[in-house]
Amino acid sequence: MKVLLYGYGNPGRQDDGLGNEFINRMQEWVNKESLEGFEFDSNYQLNIEDAHAISDKDLVIFVDASIEDIPDFCISKVTESSKMSFTTHSASPGYVLDLCKKLYDKSPVTLLLHIKGYEWNFKEELTKKAEDNLEKAIDYFKEKLRNPISLIQFEIPEF
Amino acid sequence: MTKKITIEPVTRVEGHGKVTIYLDDNGNVVQSRLHIVEFRGFERFVQGRPYWEAPVLVQRLCGICPVSHHLAAAKAMDVIVGAGTGDGLTLTGEKMRRLMHYGQIFQSHVLHFFHLASPDLLFGIDADPAIRNIIGVAMKFKDIAVQGVMMRKFGQEIIEVTAGKKIHGTGAIPGGINKNLSIEERDRFLYGPDPMNVDKMISWSLDAVNFFKDYHKKHRELIDTFAAFPSNHLSLVRKDGAMDLYDGVIRAIDTDGKKILHDVDPQDYLKYIAEEVKNWSYMKFPYLVEYGKKDGWYRVGPLARLNTADFIPSPLAQKEFEEFKAYTNGKPNNMSMHMHWARLIETLHAAEMMKELLNDPDLQKDDLVIKGTRVNEGVGMLEAPRGTLFHHYRVNENDQITMANLIVSTTNNNEPMNIAVRCVADSMISGQKEITEGMLNAVEVAIRAYDPCLSCATHALGKMPLEVSLYDSKNNLIDKKRT
C-alpha cells in the first residue's frame, strides 16, 4: 500500500506552516518506527503537477492550516471538484484529485487534515496554540498510520 | 445616473484585487480602476535583520515566485559583500543560479499558459465558466493538459536541485551558491525517461509556440485587437542587446521603438525610476523620471522583453523571435494578447538555456563563492517571469539591513493593467444594456495576460470568492453576483 502525506503552506508566515511542520514531524516518527509504504512531500501550495504525484498512490493525506472556525484539527474526505480556487497558481485538494482522475484515470482515497492556526505574519514560528493543535493531530495520526488501511475506510470521526 | 460595477476579487490572479467600472446614464464607461491590496509591510520587516539572511527571508514574501525574490536578494547581497554584479561571481556560482532561474521561468510560464490562458483560448472568453478551466481542458484536450503538468513538474524539479529544497531554498548565498550540480542530478534531466528530459521539454515548448501561432491565424482579430494600446517597454538586456533574464542593464523604449533609457546600470535605477502613490490603490505606479508620471509609465514582462531585446541567444527561440518581430515590421508590439506568444517564446528559450547549462561542465566545479570589499548598499535586479524585479538594500556597520525597497513586476505593470481594463471596458461593456459573465471575464482576461501576482503567500487567507457588485450613481447596490 502506498501512502502520501503532503503538507502545504508558507512556514515563513507563522501558523501557515502547520501543514509543513506536520510532515516534518511525522516523517521523523515514521522513520524512527521503520514503517514502510509512506512518502512525504511539502510545498508552498498544491498545484497541477500534484495530480501526477498522487496518481500512483492508494491513500493521500493533504495537510493544511486553517483560518476557519474549526476544532483544533479536523479531517474530511476529499471529493473531486472542478471549481477553480481563487488564487491563480494554486489548486485545492479536490481540484488536484479531479485533475488526477481526468488525466490519469486514477482516484486515490484522499483525506484533508486541517489544523487550526491563529497568526499569519512574517515570522517562522508557530504560535503556542497552533503548536498544541499540531501535537494533537500528530498523536491522532501516529495511531492511525500504524494501520493505514483503516483510513481507506475512513469515517469522519467526532472531535 | 452613473453605475458602478465591481469585480472583487479578480479570479485566477494572486492576492486581493477588485475592478470597478463606472457607467454613465447611457451605459458608457466613464472610469475604470484596478484596485490591488498588496503587502508592503515586508520592507519594514527585514530592517534590523542580518543581510546574509535576506535571500531566505524574502521567500516569505510570496509563495508563488519565491525563487525570483531569492535570487534578486542574493544579487543585491553580492554587491554588498563585494562580489560585484552579474559576471562577478564564479562560473559555477553564476551558472547554477541561472539554471535555477530558467527552471523558475519555465515552470511559471508553463503554468500560466496551460492553466490560466489556455482555457480562455480553447473554449473562448465567453464560454461557460464551468468548462473554461484546466479541468475542461483535461477533458477535451487531454494531451495538452498532460504536457502542462509534466513541463511544470520538470521546472519545479530543476528548482529543487539548484535551490536545495522546495521551501525556503538556500541555494543562492551572498557572493555565490552553496552547492554545485552532481553528475547524477544532471543526467536525470538530460537523459531522464520520456517525457522527463530536457529534449522533450524543448520539443513540447516548440509545440506550444506552434499551438499559439495556429490559434492566432484562426482568431487574428481577437488576438491583435483585444486590449491593445501603445506604451513604453522596459526590461534588462545583456550589454550586447541580447535577451538576458538573469542579469544586464536597464533598457526602455517608447511605443515607436526609440530608446528612452539607454542601457543603464541597475545600481543607478533610482536616478531613472520613481513611484507615484494614488489615493485609491495600495499599489504604487512606477514611471521613468525623465518622462514624468503621465508619459513615463511602462510595461514589463514577456512582451516588453521581446520588444526591448535585439536578439535571443538560443537558436530555436531566436527563430521564433524573428517571426514575432516580423509581424510588426520590427516595431514594438503593443498587443496585450501577444503577451502569450512572447511568453511561449521565452518558455522555449528557457528550455534551451536549461539544456545548454546542463551540458556545461562548470556546473560540476567546486569554486562556489567569491567575496571582496564590503559596501553598505546594493541593488539586485532580474527579469522574473512576470517582469522586472528590483531589490534594493542598505546595511549598517553591524551587518543589519537598514533599508529595503522592492519594486515587484506586478507593481511595474500597474498602470498598463489599468489601461488594459479600460480598453476592454470601452470595447465590450460601453453601451451594453446587460453585463454578462462573458464581458466580466473579458476584463479579467486582460488582467490575466499580465499574470499578476499580488503577493498573497498566505493561502489560508486567500480563499475568497469572486464578487461582482453593481452600484448606481448614489452608490446604492443594485446587483451583486458571487462565484
Side-chain angles (χ1 to χ4, degrees), chain A residues 9-10 12-13 16 20 41-45 47 49 64 67 84 86-89 95 102-103 122 124, chain B residues 9-10 12-15 45 60 63 111 116 134 142 152 166-168 386 451 458-462 464:
Chain A
N10 186 343
R13 291 291 187 89
D16 201 37
N20 317 92
D41 204 348
S42 193
N43 211 334
Y44 289 106
Q45 64 272 315
N47 218 304
E49 65 273 20
D64 188 13
I67 194 173
M84 287 287 295
F86 160 61
T87 51
T88 335
H89 301 104
Y95 199 74
K102 301 286 190 314
L103 295 184
F122 294 118
E124 195 150 355
Chain B
V10 176
R12 287 192 274 163
V13 299
E14 301 313 324
F45 160 74
R60 296 179 189 184
L111 181 68
L116 307 175
I134 190 68
K142 191 171 174 177
R152 191 174 137 90
K166 273 187 184 175
I167 293 183
H168 294 179
R386 295 159 187 82
D451 197 17
T458 312
H459 68 276
L461 301 180
M464 295 174 69

Side-chain angles (χ1 to χ4, degrees), chain B residues 203-240:
Chain B
S203 166
W204 276 352
S205 300
L206 199 52
D207 289 347
V209 178
N210 287 328
F211 167 84
F212 182 86
K213 288 194 295 188
D214 187 49
Y215 183 87
H216 185 201
K217 274 182 198 157
K218 294 172 186 161
H219 303 84
R220 199 170 295 279
E221 190 179 339
L222 170 73
I223 296 295
D224 290 357
T225 61
F226 187 87
F229 56 91
S231 75
N232 303 317
H233 300 270
L234 179 143
S235 82
L236 290 177
V237 294
R238 206 165 70 186
K239 284 177 182 166
D240 63 357

Side-chain angles (χ1 to χ4, degrees), chain A residues 58-75:
Chain A
D58 302 297
L59 173 65
V60 178
I61 302 168
F62 289 121
V63 191
D64 188 13
S66 177
I67 194 173
E68 305 295 333
D69 185 19
I70 60 166
D72 302 337
F73 70 94
C74 66
I75 306 162

Side-chain angles (χ1 to χ4, degrees), chain B residues 217-391:
Chain B
K217 274 182 198 157
K218 294 172 186 161
H219 303 84
R220 199 170 295 279
E221 190 179 339
L222 170 73
I223 296 295
D224 290 357
T225 61
F226 187 87
F229 56 91
S231 75
N232 303 317
H233 300 270
L234 179 143
S235 82
L236 290 177
V237 294
R238 206 165 70 186
K239 284 177 182 166
D240 63 357
M243 172 181 279
D244 191 333
L245 303 179
Y246 174 74
D247 193 52
V249 289
I250 313 171
R251 175 183 290 184
I253 59 168
D254 68 13
T255 194
D256 295 319
K258 182 185 148 205
K259 271 192 203 172
I260 54 174
L261 196 56
H262 296 263
D263 299 358
V264 300
D265 186 339
Q267 302 306 310
D268 297 328
Y269 82 100
L270 276 180
K271 289 182 191 168
Y272 306 103
I273 291 164
E275 292 177 278
E276 182 189 9
V277 175
K278 295 188 182 181
N279 61 9
W280 52 268
S281 177
Y282 287 92
M283 197 158 75
K284 293 179 184 175
F285 290 77
Y287 62 95
L288 297 171
V289 173
E290 190 180 344
Y291 295 86
K293 295 171 187 173
K294 185 169 173 288
D295 300 319
W297 58 272
Y298 52 83
R299 276 192 258 211
V300 300
L303 189 67
R305 292 191 286 248
L306 264 70
N307 281 328
T308 54
D310 297 329
F311 65 98
I312 297 181
S314 65
L316 296 174
Q318 169 63 15
K319 192 164 169 283
E320 299 299 330
F321 175 77
E322 287 165 12
E323 194 174 332
F324 180 89
K325 297 296 273 189
Y327 192 72
T328 52
N329 297 316
K331 291 286 185 187
N333 185 325
N334 287 303
M335 295 169 265
S336 289
M337 292 298 275
H338 285 222
M339 188 89 80
H340 297 306
W341 189 2
R343 190 175 283 117
L344 290 169
I345 294 172
E346 285 192 345
T347 305
L348 177 60
H349 173 57
E352 288 185 286
M353 293 307 293
M354 285 191 289
K355 182 174 181 181
E356 183 181 313
L357 288 161
L358 287 166
N359 279 305
D360 191 327
D362 282 338
L363 290 186
Q364 278 78 53
K365 292 181 180 167
D366 296 318
D367 193 8
L368 305 181
V369 181
I370 191 165
K371 288 196 178 163
T373 305
R374 162 89 152 68
V375 297
N376 289 337
E377 187 165 5
V379 175
M381 275 184 71
L382 51 74
E383 287 297 323
R386 295 159 187 82
T388 315
L389 173 63
F390 299 68
H391 274 226

Side-chain angles (χ1 to χ4, degrees), chain A residues 100-150:
Chain A
C100 178
K101 171 75 177 164
K102 301 286 190 314
L103 295 184
Y104 303 106
D105 200 25
K106 297 280 172 58
S107 246
V109 173
T110 304
L111 306 178
L112 173 61
L113 166 62
H114 262 137
I115 306 173
K116 187 168 174 57
Y118 305 89
E119 300 288 339
W120 320 90
N121 293 317
F122 294 118
K123 222 172 162 185
E124 195 150 355
E125 187 180 37
L126 298 176
T127 60
K128 174 72 176 66
K129 286 197 287 186
E131 179 76 38
D132 291 345
N133 295 344
L134 174 65
E135 284 302 328
K136 288 174 192 167
I138 286 173
D139 287 344
Y140 178 85
F141 271 90
K142 276 181 179 173
E143 186 190 322
K144 291 288 176 191
L145 293 186
R146 288 191 185 282
N147 179 24
I149 288 174
S150 67

